[in-house]
Amino acid sequence: MISFENVHLRYDTGISLRDLNFFIDKDEFVYLFGPTGAGKSSILKMIYMDLFPNDGQVEIFNIGSSKVKRKEIAHIRQRIGMVFQDFKLLMDRDIYSNIALPLELRGLKPNEIRSKVVRKADEFGLRSRLNHFPHELSSGEQQMVSLARAVIDSPDILLVDEPTAHLDQESAAGVTDAIWKVHDSGTCVVFATNKVELPKREPARTISLVSGEIIIDREL
Amino acid sequence: MKLGYIINEGVAGIRRSKMPFMNSVFSVTIALVLVGVGVLFVDNGLKYIGDLQADYDLEIFMQNDASSEEIQELATIISEYPGVIRMDYLSKQDAADLYSAEFGENLLTLLGENPLPSSLRVTFEENYRSSVYIQAFLQSMKQFETIDDVLFQKDLFNRIQVIMQTIYTIAAAAIFLVILVTVFLTANNLRLMILARYEFIEAIRLLGASDFMIKAPFFLEGGILGFLGGTFAVLIIVGLEQALAAFNVINLPVRILDYPEVILGTLLFGISLSALGVLKAVRRMLRFVA
């Protein structure tokens, strides 16, 4: 599903990632673990094809980064859910509209959208918040909205980039549990984090990075 | 249903960013009013000068002994000459009557005979009113012996031509400059409007929206913006025309309401300026968004 072969990525400021080789299968849960600047976000960006390797090949759903067309990137992203540490919610829309956005983009009928959004809001404990605006919610709730939006269209892959970075312990646990639930329903999850306790508390395959190199790829 | 999304998002976009939208409508309105007033100014100026020039028709005076058949034959030839839009015949009697009306004296009583010749007054179509063309016409008239003289104020005619040419050139350059400046200002305003929507564009791009799905609602929004700007501009120009007439400043011979094609052109220009401006701004932003 996700394949990195001899991937090198150079930034203008110097080499960022060196000789990355790994494969992530569907149904897997993988931690990308490492300190800030290790290259976790760059790997996620290469998965959703915002960044392209200078050498080597990244393959997502059997589409290679060297030959991918702009149109295909949109299709790939429709099968990938993303959660960011800054939530990336639209502040001028209520929670319903934020969660419904991917479905509107796919052209679903309004009644289909409503039933899916309500079901997902129930699942993530957001039902009473649907008419609120993001700024009226706590950080933990905003991240839940971001997660609900990411998985509303049942993606094959869920990418999460430090989702608990700005959250208190309780909210962080809630978000992590919700991500695991998404995985349990059959979605491949790639979870970038610098918190060592997460892989310890909820063990899964962990790819550890230091200065752009994989130092450990530990299967569970 | 994706069309539904495009329409909903295009309209909702206006609602969500009322102020930047209204700023842009204002900017397009001002741009189009400037262009419209410029065009009206030139059109009215040219019409005025054109009317002046039209007053200087050719007068062809016949020999005193020209028979009515000869005059009739000449009149037929002249009326079929390319570019002649009108020809009036003034008989010897008509000329004497005009003289009497103007000077209050009867020529027959005064001189015992009518010395005034009969004449043909010839008017050319606007496109044929050039000095060169009329000279060619005069040349071809020389072959007719029944013609005694032709009255044509060439110097005045040429001077008016030069004035018209100058006005054309200056006005065209000024309007081009105004269009250039307004297009630049409007494009800049639209770019700011789109810049304020960076987060939205970034979010839907990450959610897998294709370029078309990102651009289409903005294109629609730009079209609505341009239509509103164009409509306001036409209303303002009509208001200006009415005000000038109402306060007896000037009664313009050329008015925008008399030219539906100018109204349509203003609206189309507004719509294309805004829709394409927005599209360009979005395309530029997409280069920087994930």
Side-chain angles (χ1 to χ4, degrees), chain A residues 17-37:
Chain A
L17 296 170
R18 285 187 201 89
D19 199 23
L20 300 185
N21 286 284
F22 61 85
F23 178 81
I24 299 174
D25 209 347
K26 59 180 179 178
D27 304 339
E28 267 197 280
F29 190 112
V30 178
Y31 287 112
L32 285 178
F33 174 72
T36 304

Side-chain angles (χ1 to χ4, degrees), chain B residues 120-164:
Chain B
L120 293 168
R121 175 176 272 241
V122 182
T123 310
F124 281 89
E125 261 181 62
E126 204 175 323
N127 295 342
Y128 291 84
R129 272 181 221 155
S130 76
S131 187
V132 177
Y133 191 79
I134 290 175
Q135 290 293 351
F137 171 78
L138 293 178
Q139 199 63 35
S140 69
M141 290 295 112
K142 276 187 180 167
Q143 60 180 301
F144 298 105
E145 289 173 355
T146 45
I147 295 177
D148 178 39
D149 194 15
V150 179
L151 187 67
F152 171 52
Q153 291 182 304
K154 189 183 159 207
D155 288 346
L156 188 59
F157 191 89
N158 283 346
R159 201 177 304 159
I160 292 173
Q161 281 250 301
V162 170
I163 293 173
M164 282 179 84

